Amino acid sequence: MFSGGAIFKTVRFAIVRVFYMLTGFRIGYWRREIERLWKLNQDDYIAYLDAALSDNQPLDGSGNVVDSLSTLMNGTEISKEIFNGRPVNNTKNKMLFSRYTSGTSGTRTKVYLSKDELSRMLAVRDHCFRQYGIKLGQREARMWGVSSPGTRSRIKDWLLNRKTFCVVDDSQGDIVQNLLRWRPDYIYGYSSSVLNLSKHIVDNNIAIPGVKLVVCTAEEVLPAHKRIMNTAFDAPVAEEYGSTEFDVIAFEDRDGDLALVNPWLIVESTESGLVITDVYRSTQSLVRYQIGDIGDIVHRKTSLKRLPIISNLKGRSGDRYVYGGHGKMFHASEISRALNDYFEEGHVTFDFTVVQNEIGTCVLHVSEMPDIDLGDLCLLLAKRLRERTSTNLDVLPGTVGKLRQFKGKRSYFIQNIQRNNGIYANEA
């Protein structure tokens, strides 16, 4: 039997879906198309992508038409500067929506979308959520690091059946009380914000009933941190990788892989980092677009096709390597793995950021004092990195407390060395 609260939540969900329908967002239609495309065998899927490029004929970074997968592979990458300098293609005078990127890669970008293009993005999100039993439009609790004041934001939250919580500015006790009143179906937010609240919930033995999914976005999250979130909300934790230009690009599946979920995107790993092509977009050409992140593309074999997976995902391309002594270097992901191992051994978990300002030395900043002295943890981290990478690196203690001033896009590591004097080892 449904309770009054359950009935009200069902009605609110229906209002959101009707709102999407009346405003022309065909989420259900495009979600079914997504499911159809992912079921195609490899040859048919490649033929579909080829045909989409032939129909839309986007321009690459040199202004050349890309009308097939073969011409795409030789296409010039599009930087954010090139993208910003191009006019919007809206010959059919469609109503366009606009949004700005956050500018974490150094260049703020304005993105335009037709209603059809935005509908596909929303359908991808709906497709991802349904893997965990959630539908777009169900009650959401958003966890950000900053507040979103203003009437416009509040109206948008109401229309989309969500409530925004600022974990930094609000007291965690108040947030918990508001969560208990809101009774969200899922949690969505910055990894660090969700982690901080999760630790408070676990430490105080608080139960937040009804949560079916926790989605972490924008920042890197460790397995040890996911376990704390899972304990706090008694729900699966999924990592999302996306951007303003494309919305959801990859989403963690039930196997723990960060799987490509948008069938209209072609994601490549190049020397400049990840580049993404949207074969459908016509309002703006996005051909081998430099997203500003780095990662590796691997493939998981199925009976039908090789599904792309993103691994070793980091933020800015400059944050890829840590430079130790004697010209040696190693991938920054080793820092996260070493500290995750430390957490897994039963130690208290915390948020952290490692910053490198000079060769051979880095500084460890933590959100709270570890169970061992911070100086001892630095020595332990240096020892484990030396064992894992055969590289000597001095790790120095930094600040203890809030890390907002260090947070970049996704990564726990920030590389501040200017590599313009040619003294560093070959990165090949």
Side-chain angles (χ1 to χ4, degrees), residues 83-221:
F83 183 79
N84 284 336
R86 287 182 168 176
V88 177
N89 178 26
N90 191 28
T91 56
K92 297 181 180 179
N93 296 318
K94 299 177 181 178
M95 183 176 74
L96 297 182
F97 301 84
S98 64
R99 50 170 72 172
Y100 280 101
T101 65
S102 61
T104 54
S105 63
T107 303
R108 199 161 187 243
T109 300
K110 191 172 186 178
V111 180
Y112 291 91
L113 296 161
S114 69
K115 185 175 292 186
D116 207 28
E117 291 165 346
L118 184 53
S119 294
R120 292 188 182 217
M121 287 184 174
L122 294 171
V124 169
R125 185 169 292 279
D126 196 28
H127 167 70
C128 295
F129 289 173
R130 284 173 184 257
Q131 297 178 40
Y132 293 88
I134 293 292
K135 299 176 182 178
L136 185 67
Q138 288 187 270
R139 187 171 291 188
E140 172 188 348
R142 297 205 137 189
M143 303 293 168
W144 293 151
V146 294
S147 58
S148 299
T151 303
R152 183 178 179 181
S153 295
R154 288 193 291 270
I155 292 174
K156 188 175 181 180
D157 279 354
W158 186 89
L159 286 173
L160 300 181
N161 197 19
R162 69 193 187 198
K163 187 180 288 291
T164 300
F165 299 87
C166 179
V167 178
V168 172
D169 296 337
D170 298 339
S171 73
Q172 293 178 336
D174 289 342
I175 292 175
V176 168
Q177 292 305 312
N178 286 330
L179 272 181
L180 290 171
R181 286 192 290 269
W182 180 239
R183 296 182 68 85
D185 294 299
Y186 69 100
I187 307 292
Y188 180 90
Y190 291 159
S191 305
S192 57
S193 298
V194 179
L195 175 63
N196 289 338
L197 183 62
S198 297
K199 291 171 66 178
H200 175 81
I201 292 171
V202 172
D203 290 344
N204 291 276
N205 197 28
I206 301 170
I208 309 292
V211 176
K212 301 180 183 68
L213 174 66
V214 178
V215 180
C216 296
T217 189
E219 298 167 340
E220 189 176 1
V221 57

Side-chain angles (χ1 to χ4, degrees), residues 39 64 69 83 90 103 116 124 127 153 164 214 236 260 303 311 328 342 359 379-380 383-384:
K39 290 178 181 178
N64 298 318
L69 290 175
F83 183 79
N90 191 28
D116 207 28
V124 169
H127 167 70
S153 295
T164 300
V214 178
L260 185 65
S303 58
S311 65
K328 289 188 175 183
Y342 170 77
I359 298 173
L379 293 174
L380 178 61
K383 176 177 180 290
R384 294 195 174 186

Side-chain angles (χ1 to χ4, degrees), residues 11-56:
V11 171
R12 282 290 287 118
F13 165 72
I15 290 173
V16 177
R17 300 299 288 217
V18 170
F19 166 75
Y20 280 133
M21 182 180 66
L22 293 178
T23 50
F25 291 102
R26 299 187 298 164
I27 297 175
Y29 171 82
W30 288 118
R31 177 178 55 77
R32 290 187 292 272
E33 179 68 0
I34 290 168
E35 294 167 354
R36 183 188 73 83
L37 291 174
W38 283 128
K39 290 178 181 178
L40 293 176
N41 62 46
Q42 190 73 19
D43 291 341
D44 288 343
Y45 179 58
I46 290 175
Y48 173 87
L49 296 176
D50 214 37
L53 288 171
S54 179
D55 289 341
N56 290 317

